[in-house]
Amino acid sequence: MRYYDKLIFELSRPGRSGFSLPEAEGGMPREGRLWRSAPAGLPEVSEPDVVRHYTNLSQMNFGVDTGFYPLGSCTMKYNPKINEEIASMPGFTGQHPLQPEESVRGTKAVYEELDRALAAITGMKHFTFRPCAGAHGELTGLMLMKEYHLGRGDLARTKVIVPDSAHGTNPASAACCGYEIVVVKSNSDGLVDVEALKPLLGPDIAGIMLTNPNTLGLFEKDIREIAALVHDCGGLLYYDGANMNPLLGVVRPGDMGFDILHLNLHKTFSTPHGGGGPGSGPVGVSERVLPYLDVPRVSGFNGNFTVMLRALAYILMLGRENIRMAGRLATLNANYVKESLKDCYKLPVPSVCKHEFVFDGLLEPNGTTTLDVAKRLLDYGFHAPTIYFPLLFHQAIMIEPTETESPETLDAFIDVMRKIAVEARTNPELLHSAPRTAPIGRPDETKAARQPILKYEA
Ligand SMILES: *Cc1c(COP(=O)(O)O)cnc(C)c1O
C-alpha cells in the first residue's frame, strides 16, 4: 500500500492544519448558540495532504478524460470542454427557478432553441424538458401514452409490447406506469420478429416500445411495417432514443412513424455522465400526442438546465453537416472494431451494425469468461465494455466506441483485445487473476451495490 492510499483520517494529526489566521480582535467567543458542543471530527491535515488526498481519489476512477471507454449502450463520448465553460456561465447558474419570466429571457430562448433543434433532428413536434434521466423520460412518455388513450375514451388498452432485446428500463417503466408487459421475440437476425408481433396486436395494446438501432446495434429495417401494424391496431409507438447517436442527421424517428420518444441528452448530446448524474431525458411527441404534452412547456423547474446548455452548445457547434458526421463516424468506428476482432470473439449476429455491437465471449475461451476479459482490459488501461447485457447471450460483450475516438486509439484497443484472446489460450491464469493494477480487484458486485461502506469508522 502506498502512503497516500491511506484514508485522510489516518493521515490526521492533532492540531495540524493548512491555514493560520490571527485571533479575532477581542478573542473568539467560545460558547453560545452557534458554538458546537463537540468538535466536528474532521481530519487535521496540512494543505498538501488535502490536495494529494483528493487528487489521488480522482485517479482511482476511470473516465472519458483518462482513457478509452467503450461502454455499450452508454455512449461515453468525449465531451468538449467548451460546453463545460458555457454550462458554468454565471448568468445561467445564478438563476432561481422562481425568478419572473421577463428576467430569464435568455434561458427561455435556450429551451426554445433546443426544442427547435431536437424537433428538427427527431421529426417530433415539441419536447418537454422536465424529465431528468432516460428512465424518467420513459415514464413521462408512457404516461402521455396513457393520457392519449384515456383522452379518447379508450379504456381497454392495458398492455405494452417490448422486444426481448430491450433495455431493462423499458419494461420497468411500463410496469411502473401500470401496464402489463408483453414480450415480442427477436428473429435470428437480431431484429423484431414481425410475424411474432402480428398475433400480439389487438384492442388491449396501448403501444410498443422500441429502440432503433436496437440493443444489439442493429437497425430495425422493418420499422415502417411495424409502425403501420401498431397504428392499425390503435396503439402508439414509443421510441427509446437514449442512443440516438448513429441516426443523427441520417434518419428521424418521426419519419419512421414514432409518436413519443425520449432522448438522453447526457449520452447523445455531450455532458459527462455515469455515477448517477446529472441527466436530462426530454420527451418529444408527434402531432397526435401534442395535446397531452404538459404546458407551459417552458417554465421554472424544467429539469437539469445545464445539461441542456451543453446539448445546445454541442448541436450548434457541430451544425447541420457535422452532426451527420457524428452518426456516421460512430457507425464506422463500431464496424471497424467488430470486423477487426471477429476472428477472436464470437459474433452471434454478423450483419452491419450501427453505433455498437455485441460479441458472445471469446471464440476459444479455454475456461475464461467475459468477466475475465473485462477485468484484464483494465490492466491494459482501457475501460471494460458493457458485459452480460443484453441478456440474449450468456457471455455478452457490448462494445460502443463512439465517434470521438481516433483510428490509433481503436487500433490500440483492438491490439489489446487480440492479445487477451492469446493470453486466454496460453495463460488463462493471467485473466482469472486480473486486474492486477486497479485499486480494487473483484468486489462482490451485489454487496458493493446493496451494502456499500461509505464512511470511515476507526
Ligand atoms: C441509458 C439508457 C436508458 C436509461 O437512461 P438513464 O438516463 O440511465 O435513465 C434507457 N434506454 C437505453 C437504450 C439506454 O441506453
Side-chain angles (χ1 to χ4, degrees):
M1 183 175 178
R2 298 171 311 167
Y3 177 66
Y4 278 103
D5 286 340
K6 287 186 185 197
L7 298 176
I8 195 163
F9 291 96
E10 295 166 334
L11 301 178
S12 177
R13 293 293 174 273
R16 189 169 291 170
S17 79
F19 63 90
S20 76
L21 293 173
E23 267 293 304
E25 233 173 89
M28 285 280 281
R30 296 283 166 192
E31 54 194 25
R33 196 166 57 83
L34 300 180
W35 194 255
R36 282 180 185 280
S37 54
L42 298 174
E44 298 180 76
V45 289
S46 66
E47 181 169 326
D49 282 343
V50 175
V51 170
R52 287 170 191 162
H53 167 71
Y54 282 109
T55 307
N56 282 312
L57 264 190
S58 76
Q59 291 177 358
M60 287 175 80
N61 206 347
F62 192 101
V64 173
D65 286 358
T66 42
F68 182 49
Y69 206 133
L71 197 65
S73 195
C74 291
T75 312
M76 302 298 277
K77 63 171 74 176
Y78 173 74
N79 300 286
K81 292 294 165 263
I82 189 168
N83 296 358
E84 296 308 305
E85 242 171 82
I86 290 167
S88 58
M89 283 162 78
F92 288 124
T93 57
Q95 295 176 93
H96 192 281
L98 291 179
Q99 255 175 261
E101 193 173 318
E102 61 279 9
S103 71
V104 290
R105 291 231 177 104
T107 301
K108 220 179 143 194
V110 169
Y111 282 117
E112 286 165 356
E113 192 154 341
L114 188 57
D115 186 42
R116 265 199 302 279
L118 296 182
I121 288 169
T122 59
M124 292 287 127
K125 281 289 167 212
H126 280 296
F127 279 79
T128 171
F129 290 98
R130 292 186 177 170
C132 292
H136 192 184
E138 287 172 28
L139 182 62
T140 309
L142 286 158
M143 290 168 93
L144 285 166
M145 186 183 280
K146 203 167 215 176
E147 279 305 307
Y148 168 82
H149 291 304
L150 294 180
R152 295 160 65 243
D154 189 346
L155 310 180
R157 300 191 181 266
T158 54
K159 297 178 182 166
V160 165
I161 301 176
V162 176
D164 57 4
S165 68
H167 195 268
T169 51
N170 291 184
S173 299
C176 281
C177 197
Y179 281 118
E180 200 180 312
I181 315 299
V182 181
V183 176
V184 58
K185 62 181 177 58
S186 307
N187 61 24
S188 56
D189 295 332
L191 304 174
V192 169
D193 186 332
V194 178
E195 289 313 311
L197 175 66
K198 284 178 185 165
L200 304 178
L201 296 168
D204 55 347
I205 296 299
I208 185 169
M209 296 180 86
L210 286 177
T211 309
N212 196 13
N214 66 23
T215 307
L216 298 180
L218 306 172
F219 190 80
E220 298 281 358
K221 62 182 171 37
D222 300 322
I223 187 59
R224 276 279 173 82
E225 188 187 351
I226 294 172
L229 286 168
V230 174
H231 282 148
D232 282 351
C233 96
L236 295 179
L237 282 94
Y238 184 96
Y239 180 84
D240 177 343
N243 314 113
M244 186 55 203
N245 234 28
L247 301 195
L248 289 176
V250 182
V251 278
R252 310 192 309 168
D255 300 335
M256 296 178 211
F258 284 95
D259 304 286
I260 308 171
L261 63 73
H262 81 268
L263 298 172
N264 276 27
L265 297 189
H266 52 289
K267 285 179 186 169
T268 304
F269 298 95
S270 152
T271 288
H273 64 284
S280 176
V283 170
V285 295
S286 64
E287 189 87 54
R288 73 172 98 186
V289 186
L290 191 57
Y292 301 93
L293 201 62
D294 54 338
V295 282
R297 274 196 300 281
V298 178
S299 70
F301 301 104
N302 246 317
N304 283 326
F305 177 64
T306 63
V307 181
M308 291 160 221
L309 273 176
R310 290 183 182 92
L312 185 59
Y314 179 79
I315 291 167
L316 294 179
M317 202 163 63
L318 286 176
R320 193 178 285 269
E321 267 316 300
N322 289 324
I323 212 159
R324 355 157 62 120
M325 282 296 285
R328 286 169 181 182
L329 284 175
T331 300
L332 179 64
N333 283 356
N335 280 287
Y336 178 67
V337 174
K338 169 171 71 72
E339 291 302 310
S340 307
L341 288 174
K342 69 178 187 189
D343 59 333
C344 310
Y345 293 82
K346 200 158 125 198
L347 183 63
V349 185
S351 40
V352 173
C353 65
K354 292 293 172 209
H355 61 303
E356 65 191 4
F357 62 93
V358 181
F359 284 134
D360 189 11
L362 281 159
L363 274 179
E364 294 177 60
N366 191 21
T368 67
T369 62
T370 278
L371 181 68
D372 293 332
V373 173
K375 293 291 183 187
R376 186 65 179 146
L377 264 173
L378 305 179
D379 282 337
Y380 287 109
F382 291 115
H383 195 281
T386 296
I387 55 172
Y388 299 113
F389 176 81
L391 307 176
L392 291 175
F393 311 112
H394 291 301
Q395 294 293 328
I397 305 178
M398 186 183 201
I399 299 177
E400 177 181 7
T402 81
E403 73 279 12
T404 55
E405 299 298 336
S406 67
E408 291 76 15
T409 302
L410 297 182
D411 282 338
F413 174 73
I414 289 163
D415 277 352
V416 163
M417 287 290 279
R418 301 186 68 87
K419 205 185 247 172
I420 292 173
V422 173
E423 286 176 354
R425 279 202 305 276
T426 57
N427 189 359
E429 194 38 45
L430 269 178
L431 272 69
H432 294 314
S433 59
R436 289 150 185 252
T437 57
I440 292 174
R442 298 194 181 206
D444 176 328
E445 290 177 14
T446 311
K447 266 189 138 172
R450 303 251 160 94
Q451 297 164 12
I453 302 165
L454 298 176
K455 74 180 207 287
Y456 173 70
E457 276 170 31

